[in-house]
Amino acid sequence: MSSTASGKNGTWRNWGGNVSARPAREVTPASVDELAAAVRQAAEEGLRIKAVGTGHSFTSIAATDGLLIRPQLLTGIRKIDRDAMTVTVEAGTPLKRLNVALAREGLSLTNMGDIMEQTVSGATSTGTHGTGRDSASIAAQIKALELVTADGSVLTCSEKENPDVFAAARIGLGALGVVTAITFAVEPLFLLTAREEPMPFERVLADFDELWAENEHFEFYWFPHTGSTNTKRNNRSVGPAQPVGQLKGWFEDEFLSNGVFQVANWVGRAVPATIPSIARISSRALSARTYTDIPYKVFTSPRRVRFVEMEFAVPREAVVETLRELKAMVDRSGLRVSFPVEVRTAPADDITLSTASGRDSAYIAVHMFRGTPYQRYFTAAERIFTAHEGRPHWGKVHTRDAEYFARVYPRFGEFTALRDRLDPERRFQNAYLRRVLGA
């Protein structure tokens, strides 16, 4: 599969190009039984185990020197239940295929992230989310899960069955077992009207509470070195559908957002002094537009320009102050930042290690073009985010550890206790999990 991050001579690489690993062995099981057998065999050989999706995490959460499980044969829809309004899907199914298949059946997820390249299990296990006033992350839409645990047994969980496992495993970081199937809540296919328009940074901050309250899905991008943002409001619509015209769509989504942006980033990487001017042009390039379409065509867009990303969830009431601090830091730092800062929200949920667990959250994501030094910018940003008890996205760059997480996640101990029970010998451990969950 072309989007599966891979490399030569047995080296695995992630999409962002900042993580690589050399597994001892790779398997591509064609059934849950084969996967369970592979887990049991790895245990006998004393190998650690990791399942890997499309490598869209910027952390080494999927890296292993043991057994690498590739789920691309575990794909497709197992069952659509129109009475319960759920769909059960194999873990290796890319979100893109799920969205298209559901639309064909007149169904849709309620909310989704801004790309759909990832596998359903990779996206949910790391807490992938979009933006929403009332609707939460992809994992929050899970109704049941099936996973193979360390002893090779298959465990199913839901609110009624193994509820303690369900509370944690929806965003399980790959630490509790290998997810083999997911049951999502779905609803009848609906239309969204997207309104995209530029707005001054100061106005967005002044009106943030209002913009959040008045829209089902509000997000914005601020271009560092400018006072400009591009805002996006998605709200349900009775129709009719009015998709973006093909030529206009190609021009804005492919040519401007991917093609020209790629070239601008090459120029910026070669001559950093040009970045503020490029940012001013970029912030003005995208004009206002309104269109109406089915959810996945509105929520998601192609991302072809490769980057490295850090994202933290802060309490929603702290977002304006955090953004002011971030802008002040960039302005006085002499940093040259060519990628916009993305701001989204999510309501509180009940998943143990969800970045929105128990609190209404706002997400602030900082990006740097792949191949440019990002450490100074990310370190300074992380200092601001952590001062607000920020929780980093599990699949994006951060330097936090178990001691920090025990402080910002009230139920952190619940997760580690469950892991002790399900994986006492740490079959699913790797260096990243040792850091974030403790030994």
Side-chain angles (χ1 to χ4, degrees), residues 61-381:
I61 191 163
T64 185
D65 55 5
L67 176 69
L68 187 70
I69 297 175
R70 292 194 177 275
Q72 63 254 44
L73 297 180
L74 296 171
T75 59
I77 291 177
R78 271 191 199 178
K79 182 180 172 205
I80 291 175
D81 183 337
R82 289 184 187 270
D83 296 326
M85 284 306 275
T86 60
V87 58
T88 302
V89 60
E90 304 271 345
T93 310
L95 284 167
K96 192 187 314 193
R97 280 185 47 196
L98 173 63
N99 287 334
V100 171
L102 285 175
R104 239 192 331 250
E105 297 283 343
L107 301 168
S108 177
L109 293 171
T110 299
N111 199 353
M112 51 194 86
D114 55 11
I115 64 166
M116 50 177 184
E117 307 307 313
Q118 315 100 307
T119 59
V120 291
S121 55
T124 54
S125 295
T126 53
T128 297
H129 61 89
T131 190
R133 181 189 58 202
D134 316 301
S135 55
S137 72
I138 306 180
Q141 299 169 64
I142 294 177
K143 288 293 177 200
L145 267 183
E146 175 186 273
L147 69 161
V148 171
T149 55
D151 60 3
S153 59
V154 181
L155 183 138
T156 53
C157 61
S158 63
E159 274 173 3
K160 293 187 177 64
E161 190 183 6
N162 299 307
D164 55 333
V165 178
F166 184 67
R170 282 172 286 169
I171 298 180
L173 317 185
L176 305 174
V178 178
V179 175
T180 47
I182 300 175
T183 300
F184 290 104
V186 289
E187 55 177 302
L189 192 63
F190 54 94
L191 290 171
L192 283 171
T193 293
R195 191 169 142 204
E196 297 174 10
E197 65 175 326
M199 201 180 278
F201 182 72
E202 284 305 325
R203 195 186 134 200
V204 175
L205 295 198
D207 298 348
F208 184 81
D209 288 341
E210 221 167 291
L211 287 161
W212 169 80
E214 288 172 2
N215 295 285
E216 290 168 66
H217 309 274
F218 174 67
E219 65 186 301
F220 71 94
Y221 296 85
W222 163 58
F223 294 82
H225 314 298
T226 77
S228 313
T229 76
N230 207 32
T231 62
K232 185 171 181 183
R233 290 169 253 198
N234 298 331
N235 289 289
R236 295 199 181 206
S237 159
V238 291
Q242 286 179 312
V244 177
Q246 230 166 348
L247 184 63
K248 191 170 160 60
W250 175 84
F251 180 71
E252 294 184 341
D253 297 327
E254 287 298 340
F255 183 67
L256 288 178
S257 299
N258 285 304
V260 173
F261 193 53
Q262 174 86 46
V263 174
N265 272 284
W266 282 332
V267 172
R269 184 166 68 187
V271 192
T274 59
I275 286 175
S277 318
I278 292 170
R280 282 191 290 277
I281 296 163
S282 297
S283 71
R284 286 199 294 263
L286 293 167
S287 51
R289 63 177 184 174
T290 301
Y291 51 95
T292 301
D293 214 329
I294 58 174
Y296 80 84
K297 295 189 177 176
V298 175
F299 283 132
T300 72
S301 50
R303 291 268 189 278
R304 303 194 208 291
V305 183
R306 302 218 173 190
F307 52 82
V308 179
E309 180 178 0
M310 165 183 278
E311 180 186 71
F312 272 74
V314 297
R316 202 185 67 236
E317 62 275 14
V319 68
V320 170
E321 191 187 336
T322 309
L323 285 164
R324 285 199 195 288
E325 291 167 18
L326 189 67
K327 185 175 192 299
M329 179 274 288
V330 171
D331 289 346
R332 65 165 186 265
S333 66
L335 286 164
R336 294 286 176 255
V337 181
S338 65
F339 253 82
V341 172
E342 184 180 21
V343 182
R344 296 175 288 174
T345 68
D349 65 41
D350 62 351
I351 304 170
T352 319
L353 290 187
S354 162
T355 43
S357 185
R359 74 180 189 196
D360 291 341
S361 302
Y363 295 94
I364 304 174
V366 297
H367 312 69
M368 276 297 237
F369 184 47
R370 178 175 168 171
T372 52
Y374 61 84
Q375 283 81 356
R376 195 159 74 89
Y377 177 36
F378 283 14
T379 301

